[in-house]
Amino acid sequence: MEVFVGRFGLPVFRAGPIITALLAIVLSACSGDPGPSADSEQAAAEAKQMLASGGSVDGKALYAACVACHGDKAEGNRALGAPSLRNQQDWYLKRQLQQYRAGLRGSHPEDSYGMQMQAIAKTLPDEAAVDAVVAYIAGLGGKAAEATLEGNIKRGADYYSNLCGACHGPAAEGLDVLQAPALAGVDDWYLMRQYQHFRDGLRGADEADKYGYQMAIMARHLSDEAVLTDVLSYIQSLAD
Ligand code: HEC
Ligand code: HEC
């Protein structure tokens, strides 16, 4: 936390508006998270149009609006920032769609990917449509996402068992009783972004987002990016 106050707080303030603007550009370039591209904006517009026609509770037909970004087997598309939706529990996928629809996720102005997904989730006609599309995704099965991070797996294992395993389960398989989702087999680059968003107040900042809020508090305990990479590499190593 101190690092961020130091880095983004006082020195930036003292530097004046032009340097602050330049710094903001440099920092956003460094984050490697440029936000939705023209391609994904177009896919979003098409998805919203397809869903707005409304009325369908056929999960497969509804999922047609998701394919452009999440892929026809829900394998995800990194270039568009859209994660694989496989290996995730149906209750978790459902809650996320509900959170987007309620404006509890994807409302922070710096969360450009979340905002994009929120707009699409809100175009799903009703709860029955949410249930149907989730049931379709859950039935797709499929392999775990490929690892893209290379951290120290052994060090990650120690941190994971001390800080994460109690909620996410010993094999990162998720714990239904605590409503903590599976992390093994989910895209590591996506988990990294979500973790950073929890930590930096872009996700789970609203107490009404009960489970997101819990994770946001938790995320403040580990702010070292190198250790986080280790933890996520360890989680990836657990995937089938
Ligand atoms: C324009 C591209 C696009 C389309 C179309 C799209 N998504 Fe997404 N989706 C995204 C992005 C980007 C994210 C990551 C958002 C974030 O970082 O919060 C996401 C995230 C999600 C998540 C959260 C996953 C998690 O692990 O928390 C779910 C669930 C989801 N999408 C379901 C759907 C469904 C169902 C559809 C079709 C009705 C759909 N998406 C259509 C881009 C898209
Ligand atoms: C107190 C229980 C708890 C602990 C401890 C915990 N988490 Fe979580 N975590 C959750 C819950 C609950 C959610 C679901 C939040 C939601 O519904 O938005 C979550 C969500 C996440 C997500 C988002 C997954 C996705 O698909 O979007 C990531 C990433 C994550 N946790 C990583 C970690 C890591 C890494 C640790 C250890 C450093 C950890 N968590 C420790 C409860 C916990």
mmCIF file of all heavy atoms in Angstrom, residues 88 92 95-96 99 105 159-160 163-168 178-183 186 190-192 194-195 198 203-204 209-215 218-219 222 228 231-232 235, ligand 2:
data_model
loop_
_atom_site.group_PDB
_atom_site.id
_atom_site.type_symbol
_atom_site.label_atom_id
_atom_site.label_comp_id
_atom_site.label_asym_id
_atom_site.label_seq_id
_atom_site.Cartn_x
_atom_site.Cartn_y
_atom_site.Cartn_z
ATOM 1 N N GLN A 88 -14.685 -23.229 -14.216
ATOM 2 C CA GLN A 88 -15.224 -22.340 -13.189
ATOM 3 C C GLN A 88 -16.582 -22.920 -12.767
ATOM 4 O O GLN A 88 -17.333 -23.414 -13.598
ATOM 5 C CB GLN A 88 -15.449 -20.947 -13.758
ATOM 6 C CG GLN A 88 -14.200 -20.388 -14.419
ATOM 7 C CD GLN A 88 -14.008 -18.923 -14.096
ATOM 8 O OE1 GLN A 88 -14.176 -18.516 -12.959
ATOM 9 N NE2 GLN A 88 -13.659 -18.145 -15.075
ATOM 10 N N TYR A 92 -20.459 -19.664 -9.470
ATOM 11 C CA TYR A 92 -19.578 -18.485 -9.528
ATOM 12 C C TYR A 92 -19.848 -17.666 -10.796
ATOM 13 O O TYR A 92 -19.965 -16.434 -10.744
ATOM 14 C CB TYR A 92 -18.104 -18.920 -9.453
ATOM 15 C CG TYR A 92 -17.184 -17.740 -9.562
ATOM 16 C CD1 TYR A 92 -17.068 -16.827 -8.517
ATOM 17 C CD2 TYR A 92 -16.464 -17.488 -10.726
ATOM 18 C CE1 TYR A 92 -16.268 -15.710 -8.624
ATOM 19 C CE2 TYR A 92 -15.653 -16.372 -10.845
ATOM 20 C CZ TYR A 92 -15.565 -15.487 -9.783
ATOM 21 O OH TYR A 92 -14.778 -14.370 -9.905
ATOM 22 N N ARG A 95 -23.031 -15.806 -10.291
ATOM 23 C CA ARG A 95 -22.909 -14.633 -9.413
ATOM 24 C C ARG A 95 -22.218 -13.476 -10.135
ATOM 25 O O ARG A 95 -22.601 -12.326 -9.990
ATOM 26 C CB ARG A 95 -22.159 -14.985 -8.122
ATOM 27 C CG ARG A 95 -22.077 -13.771 -7.214
ATOM 28 C CD ARG A 95 -21.716 -14.105 -5.786
ATOM 29 N NE ARG A 95 -20.304 -14.357 -5.608
ATOM 30 C CZ ARG A 95 -19.795 -15.447 -5.060
ATOM 31 N NH1 ARG A 95 -20.589 -16.401 -4.643
ATOM 32 N NH2 ARG A 95 -18.502 -15.591 -4.915
ATOM 33 N N GLN A 96 -21.193 -13.788 -10.919
ATOM 34 C CA GLN A 96 -20.500 -12.696 -11.602
ATOM 35 C C GLN A 96 -21.430 -11.983 -12.579
ATOM 36 O O GLN A 96 -21.442 -10.758 -12.644
ATOM 37 C CB GLN A 96 -19.240 -13.208 -12.316
ATOM 38 C CG GLN A 96 -18.183 -13.749 -11.356
ATOM 39 C CD GLN A 96 -17.991 -12.871 -10.141
ATOM 40 O OE1 GLN A 96 -17.703 -11.678 -10.251
ATOM 41 N NE2 GLN A 96 -18.156 -13.437 -8.951
ATOM 42 N N GLN A 99 -23.577 -9.857 -10.585
ATOM 43 C CA GLN A 99 -22.865 -8.689 -10.055
ATOM 44 C C GLN A 99 -22.692 -7.604 -11.125
ATOM 45 O O GLN A 99 -22.836 -6.424 -10.848
ATOM 46 C CB GLN A 99 -21.475 -9.080 -9.515
ATOM 47 C CG GLN A 99 -21.489 -10.065 -8.360
ATOM 48 C CD GLN A 99 -22.158 -9.514 -7.126
ATOM 49 O OE1 GLN A 99 -23.364 -9.306 -7.099
ATOM 50 N NE2 GLN A 99 -21.382 -9.271 -6.097
ATOM 51 N N ARG A 105 -20.045 -4.979 -10.184
ATOM 52 C CA ARG A 105 -18.750 -5.271 -10.805
ATOM 53 C C ARG A 105 -18.733 -4.551 -12.148
ATOM 54 O O ARG A 105 -19.739 -4.518 -12.859
ATOM 55 C CB ARG A 105 -18.588 -6.793 -10.992
ATOM 56 C CG ARG A 105 -17.226 -7.161 -11.571
ATOM 57 C CD ARG A 105 -16.961 -8.653 -11.618
ATOM 58 N NE ARG A 105 -15.730 -8.880 -12.370
ATOM 59 C CZ ARG A 105 -15.289 -10.063 -12.764
ATOM 60 N NH1 ARG A 105 -15.969 -11.155 -12.451
ATOM 61 N NH2 ARG A 105 -14.170 -10.170 -13.452
ATOM 62 N N TYR A 159 3.276 -19.395 0.041
ATOM 63 C CA TYR A 159 2.354 -18.264 0.207
ATOM 64 C C TYR A 159 0.912 -18.717 0.012
ATOM 65 O O TYR A 159 0.012 -18.297 0.727
ATOM 66 C CB TYR A 159 2.689 -17.144 -0.797
ATOM 67 C CG TYR A 159 3.780 -16.238 -0.313
ATOM 68 C CD1 TYR A 159 5.118 -16.464 -0.648
ATOM 69 C CD2 TYR A 159 3.485 -15.132 0.494
ATOM 70 C CE1 TYR A 159 6.123 -15.626 -0.196
ATOM 71 C CE2 TYR A 159 4.485 -14.293 0.946
ATOM 72 C CZ TYR A 159 5.801 -14.537 0.606
ATOM 73 O OH TYR A 159 6.784 -13.700 1.054
ATOM 74 N N TYR A 160 0.710 -19.578 -0.986
ATOM 75 C CA TYR A 160 -0.666 -20.028 -1.254
ATOM 76 C C TYR A 160 -1.254 -20.724 -0.035
ATOM 77 O O TYR A 160 -2.376 -20.420 0.387
ATOM 78 C CB TYR A 160 -0.733 -20.960 -2.479
ATOM 79 C CG TYR A 160 -2.160 -21.382 -2.739
ATOM 80 C CD1 TYR A 160 -3.006 -20.569 -3.500
ATOM 81 C CD2 TYR A 160 -2.691 -22.542 -2.178
ATOM 82 C CE1 TYR A 160 -4.341 -20.904 -3.686
ATOM 83 C CE2 TYR A 160 -4.026 -22.883 -2.352
ATOM 84 C CZ TYR A 160 -4.838 -22.069 -3.107
ATOM 85 O OH TYR A 160 -6.163 -22.390 -3.280
ATOM 86 N N LEU A 163 -1.919 -18.073 2.758
ATOM 87 C CA LEU A 163 -2.817 -16.931 2.550
ATOM 88 C C LEU A 163 -4.086 -17.225 1.743
ATOM 89 O O LEU A 163 -5.034 -16.460 1.812
ATOM 90 C CB LEU A 163 -2.060 -15.807 1.812
ATOM 91 C CG LEU A 163 -0.992 -15.047 2.583
ATOM 92 C CD1 LEU A 163 -0.249 -14.092 1.656
ATOM 93 C CD2 LEU A 163 -1.624 -14.252 3.727
ATOM 94 N N CYS A 164 -4.089 -18.264 0.954
ATOM 95 C CA CYS A 164 -5.204 -18.444 0.015
ATOM 96 C C CYS A 164 -5.965 -19.753 0.202
ATOM 97 O O CYS A 164 -7.177 -19.818 -0.027
ATOM 98 C CB CYS A 164 -4.715 -18.394 -1.436
ATOM 99 S SG CYS A 164 -3.356 -17.242 -1.774
ATOM 100 N N GLY A 165 -5.231 -20.813 0.567
ATOM 101 C CA GLY A 165 -5.809 -22.156 0.559
ATOM 102 C C GLY A 165 -7.030 -22.325 1.446
ATOM 103 O O GLY A 165 -7.936 -23.087 1.116
ATOM 104 N N ALA A 166 -7.081 -21.589 2.580
ATOM 105 C CA ALA A 166 -8.204 -21.757 3.503
ATOM 106 C C ALA A 166 -9.526 -21.455 2.816
ATOM 107 O O ALA A 166 -10.550 -22.056 3.143
ATOM 108 C CB ALA A 166 -8.020 -20.853 4.722
ATOM 109 N N CYS A 167 -9.529 -20.529 1.889
ATOM 110 C CA CYS A 167 -10.775 -20.190 1.194
ATOM 111 C C CYS A 167 -10.881 -20.876 -0.170
ATOM 112 O O CYS A 167 -11.940 -21.351 -0.543
ATOM 113 C CB CYS A 167 -10.890 -18.680 1.000
ATOM 114 S SG CYS A 167 -11.172 -17.778 2.538
ATOM 115 N N HIS A 168 -9.794 -20.857 -0.942
ATOM 116 C CA HIS A 168 -9.883 -21.381 -2.316
ATOM 117 C C HIS A 168 -9.637 -22.894 -2.396
ATOM 118 O O HIS A 168 -9.740 -23.465 -3.480
ATOM 119 C CB HIS A 168 -8.918 -20.623 -3.246
ATOM 120 C CG HIS A 168 -9.363 -19.209 -3.524
ATOM 121 N ND1 HIS A 168 -10.373 -18.914 -4.404
ATOM 122 C CD2 HIS A 168 -8.947 -18.025 -3.013
ATOM 123 C CE1 HIS A 168 -10.559 -17.596 -4.432
ATOM 124 N NE2 HIS A 168 -9.712 -17.038 -3.598
ATOM 125 N N LEU A 178 -17.563 -21.574 1.267
ATOM 126 C CA LEU A 178 -17.105 -20.202 1.474
ATOM 127 C C LEU A 178 -17.366 -19.327 0.245
ATOM 128 O O LEU A 178 -17.003 -18.153 0.220
ATOM 129 C CB LEU A 178 -15.612 -20.187 1.812
ATOM 130 C CG LEU A 178 -15.234 -20.900 3.106
ATOM 131 C CD1 LEU A 178 -13.730 -20.853 3.321
ATOM 132 C CD2 LEU A 178 -15.946 -20.267 4.293
ATOM 133 N N GLN A 179 -17.947 -19.939 -0.781
ATOM 134 C CA GLN A 179 -18.234 -19.201 -2.018
ATOM 135 C C GLN A 179 -16.977 -18.614 -2.656
ATOM 136 O O GLN A 179 -17.015 -17.568 -3.303
ATOM 137 C CB GLN A 179 -19.268 -18.086 -1.763
ATOM 138 C CG GLN A 179 -20.645 -18.633 -1.434
ATOM 139 C CD GLN A 179 -21.342 -19.214 -2.655
ATOM 140 O OE1 GLN A 179 -21.582 -18.510 -3.625
ATOM 141 N NE2 GLN A 179 -21.651 -20.502 -2.631
ATOM 142 N N ALA A 180 -15.850 -19.295 -2.432
ATOM 143 C CA ALA A 180 -14.588 -18.878 -3.064
ATOM 144 C C ALA A 180 -14.374 -19.760 -4.301
ATOM 145 O O ALA A 180 -14.425 -20.981 -4.202
ATOM 146 C CB ALA A 180 -13.431 -19.025 -2.090
ATOM 147 N N PRO A 181 -14.174 -19.133 -5.460
ATOM 148 C CA PRO A 181 -14.156 -19.907 -6.711
ATOM 149 C C PRO A 181 -12.880 -20.706 -6.925
ATOM 150 O O PRO A 181 -11.841 -20.426 -6.320
ATOM 151 C CB PRO A 181 -14.270 -18.811 -7.781
ATOM 152 C CG PRO A 181 -13.620 -17.613 -7.154
ATOM 153 C CD PRO A 181 -13.972 -17.695 -5.687
ATOM 154 N N ALA A 182 -12.959 -21.662 -7.847
ATOM 155 C CA ALA A 182 -11.772 -22.381 -8.309
ATOM 156 C C ALA A 182 -10.835 -21.390 -8.991
ATOM 157 O O ALA A 182 -11.289 -20.477 -9.685
ATOM 158 C CB ALA A 182 -12.189 -23.456 -9.318
ATOM 159 N N LEU A 183 -9.543 -21.556 -8.769
ATOM 160 C CA LEU A 183 -8.545 -20.730 -9.451
ATOM 161 C C LEU A 183 -7.686 -21.596 -10.380
ATOM 162 O O LEU A 183 -7.175 -21.115 -11.394
ATOM 163 C CB LEU A 183 -7.646 -20.012 -8.438
ATOM 164 C CG LEU A 183 -8.358 -19.078 -7.424
ATOM 165 C CD1 LEU A 183 -7.362 -18.554 -6.397
ATOM 166 C CD2 LEU A 183 -9.054 -17.917 -8.120
ATOM 167 N N VAL A 186 -7.845 -21.658 -14.488
ATOM 168 C CA VAL A 186 -8.343 -20.383 -15.021
ATOM 169 C C VAL A 186 -7.132 -19.603 -15.549
ATOM 170 O O VAL A 186 -6.032 -19.741 -15.015
ATOM 171 C CB VAL A 186 -9.073 -19.600 -13.899
ATOM 172 C CG1 VAL A 186 -9.605 -18.279 -14.413
ATOM 173 C CG2 VAL A 186 -10.205 -20.444 -13.312
ATOM 174 N N TYR A 190 -5.476 -13.476 -16.432
ATOM 175 C CA TYR A 190 -6.763 -12.924 -16.001
ATOM 176 C C TYR A 190 -6.833 -12.859 -14.470
ATOM 177 O O TYR A 190 -7.287 -11.862 -13.895
ATOM 178 C CB TYR A 190 -7.894 -13.785 -16.564
ATOM 179 C CG TYR A 190 -9.241 -13.415 -16.015
ATOM 180 C CD1 TYR A 190 -9.894 -12.264 -16.448
ATOM 181 C CD2 TYR A 190 -9.860 -14.191 -15.042
ATOM 182 C CE1 TYR A 190 -11.117 -11.905 -15.928
ATOM 183 C CE2 TYR A 190 -11.090 -13.842 -14.532
ATOM 184 C CZ TYR A 190 -11.715 -12.700 -14.975
ATOM 185 O OH TYR A 190 -12.928 -12.340 -14.442
ATOM 186 N N LEU A 191 -6.356 -13.906 -13.821
ATOM 187 C CA LEU A 191 -6.342 -13.905 -12.346
ATOM 188 C C LEU A 191 -5.460 -12.782 -11.820
ATOM 189 O O LEU A 191 -5.787 -12.136 -10.829
ATOM 190 C CB LEU A 191 -5.852 -15.258 -11.816
ATOM 191 C CG LEU A 191 -6.750 -16.459 -12.119
ATOM 192 C CD1 LEU A 191 -6.131 -17.736 -11.556
ATOM 193 C CD2 LEU A 191 -8.161 -16.268 -11.558
ATOM 194 N N MET A 192 -4.353 -12.541 -12.517
ATOM 195 C CA MET A 192 -3.448 -11.449 -12.124
ATOM 196 C C MET A 192 -4.210 -10.119 -12.170
ATOM 197 O O MET A 192 -4.188 -9.340 -11.223
ATOM 198 C CB MET A 192 -2.247 -11.432 -13.089
ATOM 199 C CG MET A 192 -1.302 -10.281 -12.926
ATOM 200 S SD MET A 192 -0.354 -10.388 -11.396
ATOM 201 C CE MET A 192 1.177 -11.077 -11.985
ATOM 202 N N GLN A 194 -7.436 -9.588 -12.084
ATOM 203 C CA GLN A 194 -8.496 -9.518 -11.077
ATOM 204 C C GLN A 194 -7.917 -9.249 -9.689
ATOM 205 O O GLN A 194 -8.453 -8.454 -8.930
ATOM 206 C CB GLN A 194 -9.327 -10.813 -11.064
ATOM 207 C CG GLN A 194 -10.088 -11.049 -12.356
ATOM 208 C CD GLN A 194 -10.848 -9.822 -12.827
ATOM 209 O OE1 GLN A 194 -11.588 -9.207 -12.053
ATOM 210 N NE2 GLN A 194 -10.682 -9.433 -14.074
ATOM 211 N N TYR A 195 -6.816 -9.924 -9.383
ATOM 212 C CA TYR A 195 -6.195 -9.723 -8.074
ATOM 213 C C TYR A 195 -5.802 -8.246 -7.898
ATOM 214 O O TYR A 195 -6.056 -7.625 -6.872
ATOM 215 C CB TYR A 195 -4.968 -10.634 -7.923
ATOM 216 C CG TYR A 195 -4.477 -10.687 -6.504
ATOM 217 C CD1 TYR A 195 -4.927 -11.663 -5.631
ATOM 218 C CD2 TYR A 195 -3.602 -9.714 -6.022
ATOM 219 C CE1 TYR A 195 -4.507 -11.686 -4.313
ATOM 220 C CE2 TYR A 195 -3.180 -9.730 -4.708
ATOM 221 C CZ TYR A 195 -3.635 -10.718 -3.856
ATOM 222 O OH TYR A 195 -3.226 -10.737 -2.554
ATOM 223 N N PHE A 198 -8.853 -6.126 -7.297
ATOM 224 C CA PHE A 198 -9.316 -6.218 -5.899
ATOM 225 C C PHE A 198 -8.410 -5.346 -5.015
ATOM 226 O O PHE A 198 -8.874 -4.547 -4.218
ATOM 227 C CB PHE A 198 -9.247 -7.661 -5.389
ATOM 228 C CG PHE A 198 -10.383 -8.551 -5.847
ATOM 229 C CD1 PHE A 198 -10.131 -9.713 -6.553
ATOM 230 C CD2 PHE A 198 -11.700 -8.246 -5.529
ATOM 231 C CE1 PHE A 198 -11.173 -10.556 -6.946
ATOM 232 C CE2 PHE A 198 -12.744 -9.074 -5.916
ATOM 233 C CZ PHE A 198 -12.482 -10.235 -6.629
ATOM 234 N N ARG A 203 -12.351 -3.585 -8.033
ATOM 235 C CA ARG A 203 -13.362 -4.642 -7.905
ATOM 236 C C ARG A 203 -13.542 -4.948 -6.420
ATOM 237 O O ARG A 203 -12.549 -4.968 -5.678
ATOM 238 C CB ARG A 203 -12.894 -5.904 -8.661
ATOM 239 C CG ARG A 203 -13.882 -7.053 -8.590
ATOM 240 C CD ARG A 203 -13.454 -8.256 -9.436
ATOM 241 N NE ARG A 203 -14.289 -9.410 -9.102
ATOM 242 C CZ ARG A 203 -14.070 -10.658 -9.520
ATOM 243 N NH1 ARG A 203 -13.051 -10.928 -10.320
ATOM 244 N NH2 ARG A 203 -14.869 -11.626 -9.155
ATOM 245 N N GLY A 204 -14.781 -5.156 -6.011
ATOM 246 C CA GLY A 204 -15.048 -5.565 -4.626
ATOM 247 C C GLY A 204 -14.973 -4.431 -3.622
ATOM 248 O O GLY A 204 -14.917 -4.662 -2.423
ATOM 249 N N ASP A 209 -21.225 -5.886 -2.399
ATOM 250 C CA ASP A 209 -20.657 -7.015 -3.132
ATOM 251 C C ASP A 209 -19.970 -7.897 -2.081
ATOM 252 O O ASP A 209 -18.757 -7.885 -1.924
ATOM 253 C CB ASP A 209 -19.657 -6.490 -4.174
ATOM 254 C CG ASP A 209 -18.963 -7.611 -4.933
ATOM 255 O OD1 ASP A 209 -19.293 -8.796 -4.716
ATOM 256 O OD2 ASP A 209 -18.070 -7.292 -5.747
ATOM 257 N N LYS A 210 -20.788 -8.633 -1.352
ATOM 258 C CA LYS A 210 -20.338 -9.353 -0.152
ATOM 259 C C LYS A 210 -19.047 -10.151 -0.368
ATOM 260 O O LYS A 210 -18.087 -10.012 0.380
ATOM 261 C CB LYS A 210 -21.476 -10.280 0.281
ATOM 262 C CG LYS A 210 -21.282 -10.918 1.613
ATOM 263 C CD LYS A 210 -22.541 -11.687 2.008
ATOM 264 C CE LYS A 210 -22.215 -12.742 3.041
ATOM 265 N NZ LYS A 210 -23.216 -13.820 3.043
ATOM 266 N N TYR A 211 -19.031 -10.987 -1.390
ATOM 267 C CA TYR A 211 -17.879 -11.868 -1.584
ATOM 268 C C TYR A 211 -16.697 -11.134 -2.204
ATOM 269 O O TYR A 211 -15.545 -11.382 -1.862
ATOM 270 C CB TYR A 211 -18.289 -13.094 -2.398
ATOM 271 C CG TYR A 211 -19.308 -13.923 -1.661
ATOM 272 C CD1 TYR A 211 -20.634 -13.955 -2.062
ATOM 273 C CD2 TYR A 211 -18.937 -14.623 -0.517
ATOM 274 C CE1 TYR A 211 -21.576 -14.695 -1.355
ATOM 275 C CE2 TYR A 211 -19.878 -15.356 0.194
ATOM 276 C CZ TYR A 211 -21.193 -15.390 -0.231
ATOM 277 O OH TYR A 211 -22.112 -16.106 0.478
ATOM 278 N N GLY A 212 -17.000 -10.220 -3.115
ATOM 279 C CA GLY A 212 -15.925 -9.419 -3.718
ATOM 280 C C GLY A 212 -15.232 -8.568 -2.650
ATOM 281 O O GLY A 212 -14.014 -8.409 -2.647
ATOM 282 N N TYR A 213 -16.025 -8.057 -1.712
ATOM 283 C CA TYR A 213 -15.501 -7.209 -0.643
ATOM 284 C C TYR A 213 -14.531 -7.999 0.243
ATOM 285 O O TYR A 213 -13.462 -7.515 0.620
ATOM 286 C CB TYR A 213 -16.673 -6.673 0.178
ATOM 287 C CG TYR A 213 -16.304 -5.611 1.181
ATOM 288 C CD1 TYR A 213 -15.918 -4.339 0.764
ATOM 289 C CD2 TYR A 213 -16.348 -5.875 2.547
ATOM 290 C CE1 TYR A 213 -15.572 -3.355 1.683
ATOM 291 C CE2 TYR A 213 -16.011 -4.893 3.485
ATOM 292 C CZ TYR A 213 -15.627 -3.648 3.037
ATOM 293 O OH TYR A 213 -15.284 -2.686 3.955
ATOM 294 N N GLN A 214 -14.928 -9.262 0.509
ATOM 295 C CA GLN A 214 -14.071 -10.150 1.307
ATOM 296 C C GLN A 214 -12.705 -10.333 0.630
ATOM 297 O O GLN A 214 -11.664 -10.245 1.255
ATOM 298 C CB GLN A 214 -14.745 -11.518 1.325
ATOM 299 C CG GLN A 214 -14.923 -12.132 2.661
ATOM 300 C CD GLN A 214 -15.702 -13.439 2.495
ATOM 301 O OE1 GLN A 214 -15.279 -14.333 1.754
ATOM 302 N NE2 GLN A 214 -16.822 -13.538 3.162
ATOM 303 N N MET A 215 -12.763 -10.589 -0.667
ATOM 304 C CA MET A 215 -11.530 -10.830 -1.413
ATOM 305 C C MET A 215 -10.704 -9.549 -1.511
ATOM 306 O O MET A 215 -9.472 -9.595 -1.476
ATOM 307 C CB MET A 215 -11.876 -11.404 -2.795
ATOM 308 C CG MET A 215 -10.674 -11.750 -3.643
ATOM 309 S SD MET A 215 -9.530 -12.915 -2.823
ATOM 310 C CE MET A 215 -7.962 -12.251 -3.392
ATOM 311 N N MET A 218 -8.765 -9.175 1.606
ATOM 312 C CA MET A 218 -7.702 -10.182 1.568
ATOM 313 C C MET A 218 -6.540 -9.725 0.658
ATOM 314 O O MET A 218 -5.368 -9.886 1.004
ATOM 315 C CB MET A 218 -8.338 -11.488 1.050
ATOM 316 C CG MET A 218 -7.394 -12.609 0.861
ATOM 317 S SD MET A 218 -6.483 -12.903 2.366
ATOM 318 C CE MET A 218 -4.863 -13.128 1.661
ATOM 319 N N ALA A 219 -6.887 -9.140 -0.464
ATOM 320 C CA ALA A 219 -5.861 -8.792 -1.472
ATOM 321 C C ALA A 219 -4.883 -7.724 -0.984
ATOM 322 O O ALA A 219 -3.786 -7.596 -1.522
ATOM 323 C CB ALA A 219 -6.538 -8.344 -2.767
ATOM 324 N N LEU A 222 -1.228 -8.989 0.242
ATOM 325 C CA LEU A 222 -0.108 -9.427 -0.606
ATOM 326 C C LEU A 222 -0.033 -8.455 -1.772
ATOM 327 O O LEU A 222 -0.823 -8.541 -2.711
ATOM 328 C CB LEU A 222 -0.377 -10.852 -1.107
ATOM 329 C CG LEU A 222 0.756 -11.652 -1.724
ATOM 330 C CD1 LEU A 222 0.365 -13.118 -1.755
ATOM 331 C CD2 LEU A 222 1.110 -11.203 -3.107
ATOM 332 N N LEU A 228 3.132 -12.475 -6.079
ATOM 333 C CA LEU A 228 1.850 -12.790 -6.705
ATOM 334 C C LEU A 228 2.062 -13.684 -7.937
ATOM 335 O O LEU A 228 1.330 -14.656 -8.157
ATOM 336 C CB LEU A 228 1.140 -11.485 -7.085
ATOM 337 C CG LEU A 228 -0.237 -11.608 -7.705
ATOM 338 C CD1 LEU A 228 -1.176 -12.397 -6.800
ATOM 339 C CD2 LEU A 228 -0.828 -10.220 -7.973
ATOM 340 N N VAL A 231 2.673 -17.129 -6.716
ATOM 341 C CA VAL A 231 1.441 -17.771 -6.252
ATOM 342 C C VAL A 231 0.611 -18.243 -7.455
ATOM 343 O O VAL A 231 0.119 -19.377 -7.477
ATOM 344 C CB VAL A 231 0.613 -16.810 -5.357
ATOM 345 C CG1 VAL A 231 -0.779 -17.371 -5.076
ATOM 346 C CG2 VAL A 231 1.341 -16.536 -4.048
ATOM 347 N N LEU A 232 0.501 -17.378 -8.477
ATOM 348 C CA LEU A 232 -0.320 -17.747 -9.639
ATOM 349 C C LEU A 232 0.332 -18.877 -10.432
ATOM 350 O O LEU A 232 -0.367 -19.727 -10.993
ATOM 351 C CB LEU A 232 -0.577 -16.518 -10.520
ATOM 352 C CG LEU A 232 -1.455 -15.434 -9.847
ATOM 353 C CD1 LEU A 232 -1.579 -14.202 -10.746
ATOM 354 C CD2 LEU A 232 -2.846 -15.956 -9.498
ATOM 355 N N ILE A 235 -0.568 -21.976 -8.575
ATOM 356 C CA ILE A 235 -1.974 -22.324 -8.837
ATOM 357 C C ILE A 235 -2.100 -23.009 -10.201
ATOM 358 O O ILE A 235 -2.781 -24.019 -10.342
ATOM 359 C CB ILE A 235 -2.859 -21.052 -8.768
ATOM 360 C CG1 ILE A 235 -2.968 -20.562 -7.315
ATOM 361 C CG2 ILE A 235 -4.245 -21.300 -9.367
ATOM 362 C CD1 ILE A 235 -3.618 -19.194 -7.147
HETATM 363 C C1 HEC B 2 -11.378 -15.073 3.132
HETATM 364 C C2 HEC B 2 -11.435 -15.970 2.017
HETATM 365 C C3 HEC B 2 -10.439 -15.737 0.873
HETATM 366 C C4 HEC B 2 -9.067 -15.749 0.925
HETATM 367 C C5 HEC B 2 -8.175 -15.990 2.140
HETATM 368 C C6 HEC B 2 -8.607 -15.557 -0.444
HETATM 369 N N1 HEC B 2 -9.681 -15.400 -1.274
HETATM 370 FE FE1 HEC B 2 -9.614 -15.036 -3.299
HETATM 371 N N2 HEC B 2 -11.639 -14.944 -3.356
HETATM 372 C C7 HEC B 2 -12.492 -15.160 -2.289
HETATM 373 C C8 HEC B 2 -13.873 -15.013 -2.716
HETATM 374 C C9 HEC B 2 -15.108 -15.170 -1.852
HETATM 375 C C10 HEC B 2 -13.820 -14.670 -4.106
HETATM 376 C C11 HEC B 2 -15.007 -14.390 -5.043
HETATM 377 C C12 HEC B 2 -15.254 -12.905 -5.118
HETATM 378 C C13 HEC B 2 -16.441 -12.542 -5.981
HETATM 379 O O1 HEC B 2 -17.442 -13.256 -5.980
HETATM 380 O O2 HEC B 2 -16.347 -11.503 -6.663
HETATM 381 C C14 HEC B 2 -12.401 -14.643 -4.475
HETATM 382 C C15 HEC B 2 -11.935 -14.372 -5.742
HETATM 383 C C16 HEC B 2 -10.607 -14.396 -6.129
HETATM 384 C C17 HEC B 2 -10.110 -14.117 -7.471
HETATM 385 C C18 HEC B 2 -10.952 -13.774 -8.703
HETATM 386 C C19 HEC B 2 -11.257 -15.034 -9.505
HETATM 387 C C20 HEC B 2 -11.979 -14.780 -10.809
HETATM 388 O O3 HEC B 2 -12.219 -15.746 -11.546
HETATM 389 O O4 HEC B 2 -12.323 -13.648 -11.113
HETATM 390 C C21 HEC B 2 -8.744 -14.245 -7.434
HETATM 391 C C22 HEC B 2 -7.767 -14.030 -8.564
HETATM 392 C C23 HEC B 2 -8.387 -14.620 -6.073
HETATM 393 N N3 HEC B 2 -9.535 -14.697 -5.298
HETATM 394 C C24 HEC B 2 -7.092 -14.890 -5.648
HETATM 395 C C25 HEC B 2 -6.732 -15.139 -4.332
HETATM 396 C C26 HEC B 2 -5.362 -15.322 -3.895
HETATM 397 C C27 HEC B 2 -4.147 -15.322 -4.821
HETATM 398 C C28 HEC B 2 -5.402 -15.465 -2.542
HETATM 399 C C29 HEC B 2 -4.245 -15.604 -1.586
HETATM 400 C C30 HEC B 2 -3.201 -14.589 -1.689
HETATM 401 C C31 HEC B 2 -6.807 -15.406 -2.128
HETATM 402 N N4 HEC B 2 -7.576 -15.199 -3.248
HETATM 403 C C32 HEC B 2 -7.265 -15.509 -0.828
HETATM 404 C C33 HEC B 2 -12.116 -15.458 -0.996
HETATM 405 C C34 HEC B 2 -10.815 -15.508 -0.511
#
